[in-house]
Each structure stands twice: as structure tokens, then as C-alpha cells.
């Protein structure tokens, strides 16, 4: 009875040390850096989508995995990021990716601050429903105010210029997306992962986990619960907003679909798929989900049915997700050998 | 000198007079036992003082300051801490993390997002020291959800102690553990609070524990204070012996 508890905690401690993390993070990073020269452009672009979604899911999991709040409205912040970029193109004629990211951060800070202020007073199903309802409000705005947002036609976003105009997207778009833009996203991804890793391992991150485990006791050790939830909500939303901003030039178009609650469901799906109990879970989940969805869509028109079946099978057989299960298998293998 | 004073404290739940015009005091550096049958209002009194919910009327003074409407956070900063009857721990964090988090919180360091918790050696050293004080150093790396009930009880007290309180409320620190474990738990807890000059108010049902470890006993009945005195006085108090302890009285 006590042995698994010891190992779990020892693993958690070990996982928290910088050296252990670098031991596997560095090879993965190097591999990711050289990917565009190894795989076909199409695969690299798919991976770019995966990395973008990974940033969003990482933000989402700060709430689910670390604070114990299931948001069903993260499509809203993703959408804010994407629409801020599209509106900057439409009304301000901006084409610089750095300005896009800056604008998306400002936009998502404002929206998450307002939504978070309302939502963090609630927990469990009430929190989930409230986040879902608010995201649907935003969706209907994008849907109805077509003279601003283009309605269901959406808004086009041309290829941006990177690094204050040093790299422009002139010429072959596929080549640009699978090399320059891929590396751009990858750098932002590295920064986002590093930042999130520090946040969850900071004293603040510990306080969030305390709130997740036992709200009452957290309050009685002096943690002001809803302030911490609010900050977590803010950080979470901004990460997802950043993902939205990186996604839109890749897609070339933003439509209200990405604000619809079903897209929030996809964010939940990829996080559960990867495993919300581990730091790397949402990253792995987002990349895998992206491939899964692409092939499911290509394979059958009933792709949603297929993904639904996968989700059911997953929850029943691998409740700790891909990363959690892999970790357990690795631990067992280590014990045997 | 009185550390804590309540004046005419009232809390009704519908028709239930959970706490009914209670004047309760805790003196500096005393170990006080709060006794009474189930539903006497002991836990409600502690809940009111620790700020879990507000009183209907009355006043709570802590070191001369009115804390009646202070937030939980404010009361903790003032020096009031508590443990819980049904153990309240952070089950998915290690025992060491449970205490360390409390210290981070006490020091106002939980606001830090951009530094690694593991880098703050002073906090971890203190957390380990506190676990040692409560005899839990061997369980430091275990998840709080995975240690024995007696150890969970101690860890619960250790967390409250880590807040460096002046007044510590312990809600049934020995309930749900075997009789054999009660003595070591009480020995540990009382020696820690006495050596640090902390006042402790302990809700307890086990009369052996009550008479062996407390300086003063407050007996509650139906929301009001029935008796207040030294263990000897309470032993001789007929109202207490008939209503609470049974006619034969304690050994």
C-alpha cells in the first residue's frame, strides 16, 4: 500500500529537478529543430499545428491538472488570439508576427480577466458551464457581427513577416510554413514550455496544487483561493490566446468555428489523451490528437464518431493518458530489469 | 492574560442553537480542552473563531484586536491556526510538500510565479525540521494520501503548527486512531506547543486524554458553556459528571 505512494512522490520530486528534465528535453528539442529537413513539408506543417495546439493545451492544463478546474470555454481565448490577429490585419494593416503576438497577448489578457473574474468564484460543474456559456457568447458575436468579423466566411490572414521584417513570406508558402514559420513556432513553443514549467514548479504552482487537492485546507494555510485561481485563469487563457495567434497565419483564415464550444471539447480531448496528471501530457496529447484528427478526417466523413470512440476507449483503459501510461510502463520495466 | 476572548457569540442554524451567547477565553500558554457531547457546539465555536463562517452576533477579540469580521487569511496572519476533525491534507503532495507549501504561504512567497520552489532551501530545511519535531521525517517523501491515519493526524497538526500560530485549535486530534496511538500523538503535540509557548485549544472526547493533558477544561452543552475550570474542578463538577461523563465519573 505504501510503496506506490513512495514511488509516486519520489518520481514527482525527480521530475521536478532541472537536470532530469534536461536529460530528456534536450534530445527532444534537437530532434524537433531538425525535423523540417528530415520529413516532407506536409508532415512538418502538421507538426506545426500540433505544436501550436500544444501551447494552448499546456495553458488549459494549468487549470485542469494543477488547479483542478475543468474549463469548457478555452476556445474563447484561442479565438480571441486568432481574431485579434485577423482584425489587426483588416483594420490596421499590420503584417508583423511580433506585433500579432503582442496584440493577441493584450487581447487575451483583457478577455480572460473579465471572464476569469466571473468564473473563478465557482468550481466543478458550475465553473465548467459558466466558461462554456461565456465562450458561446463570444462565438455568437463572431457569428453575428459579420461586418466586423466576416461571419461564417471568417477573416483571411496573409503570410506574416517574421523577426521584425527580417524574414518575409514571399515566394513558396509551403516552404515558408514548413521551415521559417515552423522554427518560429518552435522557438515560441520552447519559451512557452520553459515558462510553464517554471510556473508549475514555483511556490505559486504549489499553491495551485494545494487548492486542487483541498480547497478548505488551502484557505486555512492562508492561500487566498480565488486570487490564485484568477491568476491561474489569466495565465492559462493567455497561453491559449498565444496559440490562437500562432495558429491563424498557418491556417490563413479564422472562422467562428474555433470559438464554438466543440473546439473547447477538442482542447479537453487532447489534454486527457496525453494525460492531465503530467506536465508533458498536454504537449504529447496535442501533437498526437492533431495527427489522429487529420487522418480520421481523411479516412471517413464520420471522423467525429471515430474520435468519440477513441475518447471512450481512452478514458476506460488509459485514465492517466499516453504520458501517464508510458511512465507506468517504464517504471515497471525498470523494476523488472 | 487572555489571548482570545469571545463576547456573547451566537450562531444559530435554523432552530438549532449551535453556539448560544458564549463567552469563551483562552489564556496565554495554556493547553485547554473543549469537551461536550456531539452537537454541543464545540466545532461550531472553533469554526466561528477560525473564520470558516461568521457569527450571527457577538464579538471575537484576539490579543485585544477585534477579529470578528476578519478574513481567514487575516486571522492566520494574526496568529490563529487550526487542524481539522476529518483530516484535511493535500493528498497528492508529499508530506514534506504539505508543510513546505504552508511555509511558502506564511512567508507570502506563494505569490512568486517565476522562481523554482525547490531552490528555496530555507523553506525546505524548516519543513523537514517541523516533520522531525512531529516524528514524521521518515514519511517526508510519501504522498500525504498514503500515510497511516495516526500520521495523517500528526501531519494535520504539523501543517497548522508551520503557520507559527499563537493560538492553535485542534479538532479531535486523536479521533479515529487506535487507543495505542493516542498517547504518542498527544505527547508529541502537547510537548511541541508547550515548548514553543503556543496556546492550544483541543476538542476531545476521550476523557483520559482530556484529564491527562490539559491545564483547563471548558465543557459545553447545547451551545452554551456548562462549566469552566481546572481538571480537578471539572472532575468534582456534578453538572459535568452527570451530563457529559456519566454518573460514575472518570477514573
Amino acid at each position: 500500500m505504501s510503496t506506490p505512494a513512495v514511488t509516486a512522490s519520489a518520481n514527482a520530486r525527480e521530475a521536478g529537478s532541472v537536470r532530469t528534465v534536461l536529460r530528456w528535453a534536450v534530445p527532444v528539442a534537437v530532434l524537433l529543430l531538425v525535423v523540417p529537413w528530415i520529413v516532407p513539408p506536409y508532415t512538418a506543417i502538421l507538426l506545426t499545428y500540433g505544436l501550436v495546439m500544444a501551447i494552448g493545451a499546456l495553458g488549459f492544463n494549468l487549470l485542469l491538472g494543477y488547479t483542478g478546474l475543468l474549463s469548457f470555454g478555452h476556445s474563447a481565448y484561442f479565438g480571441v488570439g486568432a481574431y485579434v490577429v485577423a482584425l489587426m490585419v483588416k483594420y490596421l494593416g499590420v503584417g508583423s508576427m511580433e506585433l500579432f503576438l503582442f496584440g493577441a497577448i493584450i487581447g487575451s489578457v483583457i478577455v480572460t480577466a473579465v471572464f476569469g473574474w466571473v468564473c473563478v468564484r465557482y468550481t466543478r460543474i458550475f465553473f465548467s458551464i459558466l466558461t462554456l456559456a461565456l465562450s458561446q457568447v463570444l462565438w455568437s458575436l463572431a457569428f453575428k457581427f459579420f461586418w466586423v468579423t466576416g461571419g461564417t466566411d471568417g477573416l483571411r490572414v496573409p503570410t506574416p513577416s517574421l523577426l521584425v521584417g527580417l524574414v518575409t513570406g514571399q515566394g513558396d508558402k509551403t516552404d515558408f510554413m514548413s521551415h521559417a514559420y515552423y522554427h518560429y513556432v518552435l522557438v515560441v513553443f520552447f519559451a512557452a514550455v520553459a515558462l510553464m514549467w517554471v510556473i508549475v514548479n514555483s511556490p505559486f504552482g504549489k499553491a495551485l496544487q494545494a487548492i486542487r487537492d483541498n480547497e478548505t485546507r488551502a484557505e486555512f494555510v492562508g492561500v487566498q483561493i480565488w486570487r490564485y485561481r484568477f491568476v491561474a485563469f489569466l495565465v492559462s487563457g493567455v497561453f491559449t490566446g498565444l496559440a490562437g495567434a500562432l495558429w491563424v497565419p498557418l491556417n490563413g483564415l479564422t472562422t467562428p468555428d474555433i470559438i464554438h464550444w466543440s473546439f473547447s471539447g477538442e482542447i479537453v480531448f487532447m489534454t486527457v489523451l496525453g494525460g492531465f496528471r503530467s506536465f508533458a501530457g498536454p504537449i504529447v496529447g496535442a501533437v498526437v490528437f492533431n495527427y489522429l484528427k487529420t487522418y480520421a478526417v481523411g479516412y471517413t466523413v464520420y471522423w467525429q464518431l471515430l474520435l468519440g470512440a477513441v475518447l471512450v476507449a481512452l478514458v476506460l483503459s488509459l485514465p492517466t493518458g499516453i504520458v501517464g501510461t508510458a511512465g507506468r510502463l517504464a517504471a515497471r520495466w525498470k523494476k523488472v530489469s | 492574560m487572555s489571548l482570545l476572548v469571545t463576547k456573547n457569540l451566537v450562531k444559530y442554524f435554523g432552530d438549532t442553537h449551535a453556539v448560544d451567547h458564549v463567552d469563551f477565553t483562552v489564556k496565554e500558554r495554556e493547553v485547554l480542552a473543549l469537551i461536550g457531547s456531539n452537537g454541543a457546539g464545540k466545532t461550531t465555536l472553533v469554526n466561528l473563531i477560525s473564520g470558516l463562517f461568521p457569527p450571527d452576533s457577538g464579538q471575537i477579540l484576539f490579543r485585544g484586536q477585534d477579529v470578528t469580521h476578519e478574513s481567514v487569511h487575516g486571522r492566520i496572519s494574526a496568529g490563529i491556526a487550526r487542524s481539522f476533525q476529518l483530516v484535511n491534507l493535500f493528498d497528492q503532495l508529499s508530506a514534506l510538500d504539505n508543510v513546505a507549501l504552508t511555509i511558502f504561504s506564511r512567508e507570502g512567497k506563494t505569490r512568486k510565479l517565476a522562481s523554482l520552489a525547490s531552490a528555496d532551501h530555507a523553506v525546505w530545511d524548516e519543513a523537514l525540521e517541523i516533520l522531525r519535531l512531529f516524528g514524521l521525517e521518515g514519511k517526508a517523501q510519501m504522498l500525504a494520501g498514503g500515510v497511516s491515519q495516526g500520521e495523517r493526524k500528526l501531519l494535520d497538526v504539523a501543517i497548522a503548527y508551520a503557520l507559527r500560530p499563537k493560538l492553535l485549535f485542534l479538532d479531535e486530534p486523536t479521533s479515529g486512531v487506535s487507543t495505542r496511538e493516542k498517547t504518542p500523538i498527544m505527547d508529541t503535540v502537547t510537548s511541541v506547543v508547550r515548548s514553543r509557548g503556543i496556546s492550544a485549544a483541543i476538542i476531545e472526547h476521550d476523557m483520559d486524554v482530556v484529564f491527562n493533558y490539559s491545564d483547563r477544561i471548558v465543557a459545553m452543552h447545547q451551545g452554551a458553556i456548562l462549566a469552566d475550570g481546572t481538571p480537578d474542578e471539572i472532575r468534582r463538577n456534578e453538572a459535568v459528571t452527570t451530563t457529559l461523563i456519566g454518573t460514575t465519573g472518570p477514573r
Side-chain angles (χ1 to χ4, degrees):
Chain A
M1 188 61 210
S2 64
T3 328
V6 177
T7 10
S9 178
N11 284 349
R13 182 149 302 278
E14 204 179 314
S17 84
V18 180
R19 208 182 305 152
T20 325
V21 169
L22 288 183
R23 204 182 302 152
W24 59 263
V26 168
V28 172
V30 171
L31 187 68
L32 283 173
L33 275 170
V34 299
V35 154
W37 292 287
I38 306 172
V39 300
Y42 174 68
T43 313
I45 290 175
L46 265 188
L47 186 58
T48 319
Y49 275 104
L51 292 174
V52 166
M53 289 317 300
I55 298 172
L58 209 52
F60 166 80
N61 201 41
L62 183 66
L63 283 183
L64 179 64
Y66 291 92
T67 321
L69 293 171
L70 171 57
S71 162
F72 232 90
H74 259 52
S75 60
Y77 320 117
F78 191 88
V80 166
Y83 271 92
V84 163
V85 171
L87 294 172
M88 281 170 88
V89 173
K90 184 178 173 186
Y91 290 105
L92 306 173
V94 175
S96 153
M97 198 62 214
E98 287 74 34
L99 285 179
F100 287 162
L101 295 183
F102 181 72
I105 289 172
I106 301 292
S108 44
V109 164
I110 294 168
V111 175
T112 39
V114 175
F115 284 17
W117 188 79
V118 177
C119 296
V120 295
R121 286 136 209 277
Y122 302 88
T123 55
R124 294 180 303 242
I125 188 73
F126 309 102
F127 175 85
S128 305
I129 293 294
L130 208 52
T131 51
L132 186 145
L134 286 171
S135 76
Q136 283 301 89
V137 170
L138 222 54
W139 171 79
S140 61
L141 290 179
F143 188 69
K144 294 287 183 192
F145 285 82
F146 54 85
W147 58 93
V148 181
T149 63
T152 44
D153 291 344
L155 293 170
R156 300 214 152 269
V157 173
T159 310
S161 68
L162 308 179
L163 304 173
V164 226
L166 274 177
V167 183
T168 58
Q170 309 304 321
D172 184 20
K173 189 173 177 186
T174 309
D175 186 55
F176 173 79
M177 285 301 170
S178 61
H179 284 87
Y181 197 68
Y182 171 85
H183 281 113
Y184 194 87
V185 167
L186 191 62
V187 169
V188 178
F189 169 78
F190 286 155
V193 169
L195 187 61
M196 187 56 87
W197 191 81
V198 170
I199 290 173
V200 303
N201 287 293
S202 70
F204 172 79
K206 293 263 182 234
L208 294 185
Q209 291 165 60
I211 292 171
R212 173 198 67 195
D213 279 6
N214 194 329
E215 193 184 323
T216 310
R217 191 51 186 263
E219 195 181 357
F220 277 91
V221 300
V223 176
Q224 288 151 301
I225 313 261
W226 83 259
R227 280 193 201 185
Y228 284 79
R229 281 209 186 112
F230 179 75
V231 176
F233 197 97
L234 211 59
V235 174
S236 172
V238 169
F239 268 70
T240 309
L242 194 65
L246 288 167
W247 173 84
V248 70
L250 198 58
N251 202 52
L253 173 77
T254 177
T255 61
D257 289 354
I258 56 154
I259 313 182
H260 196 257
W261 69 268
S262 55
F263 187 70
S264 298
E266 287 189 16
I267 298 175
V268 177
F269 189 158
M270 52 187 85
T271 307
V272 173
L273 177 69
F276 67 94
R277 288 272 179 233
S278 55
F279 180 79
I283 301 172
V284 173
V287 173
V288 171
F289 174 84
N290 197 56
Y291 282 104
L292 207 63
K293 185 183 167 185
T294 306
Y295 289 110
V297 170
Y299 180 70
T300 165
V301 287
Y302 305 111
W303 61 274
Q304 281 139 324
L305 191 72
L306 192 68
L307 287 184
V310 169
L311 185 62
V312 170
L314 186 81
V315 171
L316 292 179
S317 62
L318 309 174
T320 52
I322 298 171
V323 173
T325 307
R328 228 180 29 239
L329 289 177
R332 193 181 299 170
W333 183 73
K334 213 184 263 179
K335 207 181 279 176
V336 169
S337 65
Chain B
M1 187 206 149
S2 294
L3 184 63
L4 176 98
V5 178
T6 75
K7 291 180 180 167
N8 260 321
L9 210 57
V10 174
K11 183 74 186 181
Y12 294 167
F13 295 109
D15 290 337
T16 311
H17 296 188
V19 169
D20 201 358
H21 300 280
V22 166
D23 296 321
F24 171 75
T25 58
V26 181
K27 299 187 192 103
E28 298 246 23
R29 297 165 181 272
E30 73 172 341
V31 173
L32 177 144
L34 198 52
I35 62 171
S37 50
N38 286 323
K42 309 176 300 289
T43 298
T44 306
L45 181 63
V46 171
N47 286 344
L48 292 175
I49 297 169
S50 61
L52 191 65
F53 39 68
D56 295 341
S57 65
Q59 227 186 356
I60 303 166
L61 300 174
F62 185 68
R63 306 173 90 201
Q65 300 280 319
D66 188 340
V67 296
T68 317
H69 303 288
E70 189 63 71
S71 65
V72 171
H73 182 256
R75 288 174 214 230
I76 292 166
S77 315
I80 303 176
R82 69 171 296 180
S83 77
F84 288 83
Q85 180 183 357
L86 297 170
V87 181
N88 256 323
L89 301 173
F90 309 116
D91 283 348
Q92 289 175 46
L93 300 180
S94 70
L96 187 63
D97 273 359
N98 269 265
V99 179
L101 165 81
T102 308
I103 301 169
F104 278 123
S105 174
R106 183 193 77 206
E107 303 279 308
K109 287 175 175 169
T110 42
R111 280 186 224 110
K112 290 186 177 180
L113 288 105
S115 67
L116 293 178
S118 56
D120 200 330
H121 297 296
V123 169
W124 297 100
D125 291 347
E126 190 192 336
L128 204 56
E129 192 51 50
I130 289 173
L131 285 183
R132 204 166 286 138
L133 206 54
F134 284 87
L136 294 168
E137 70 272 26
K139 312 289 172 178
Q141 301 302 339
M142 278 182 66
L143 294 187
V147 300
S148 78
Q149 182 63 14
E151 288 158 350
R152 285 170 63 79
K153 286 277 180 184
L154 277 173
L155 185 55
D156 199 327
V157 179
I159 290 170
Y161 170 78
L163 291 167
R164 289 193 183 154
K166 298 184 179 63
L167 172 57
L168 187 54
F169 283 101
L170 305 176
D171 196 347
E172 302 196 23
T174 69
S175 71
V177 304
S178 67
T179 318
R180 204 158 38 86
E181 278 181 289
K182 286 187 181 187
T183 308
I185 289 179
M186 288 309 296
D187 282 344
T188 309
V189 170
T190 49
S191 84
V192 170
V193 296
R194 284 189 198 282
S195 67
R196 309 292 149 126
I198 298 170
S199 299
I202 304 173
I203 296 180
E204 187 54 64
H205 281 294
D206 188 314
M207 288 303 145
D208 290 336
V209 168
V210 167
F211 285 105
N212 282 339
Y213 291 96
S214 53
D215 306 324
R216 188 159 69 93
I217 298 171
V218 173
M220 286 186 77
H221 186 60
Q222 294 180 346
I225 290 181
L226 181 69
D228 179 345
T230 63
D232 279 340
E233 287 165 1
I234 294 296
R235 231 188 278 264
R236 287 194 298 269
N237 187 313
E238 250 176 60
V240 176
T241 45
T242 49
T243 52
L244 295 181
I245 307 172
T247 43
T248 50
R251 282 151 284 165

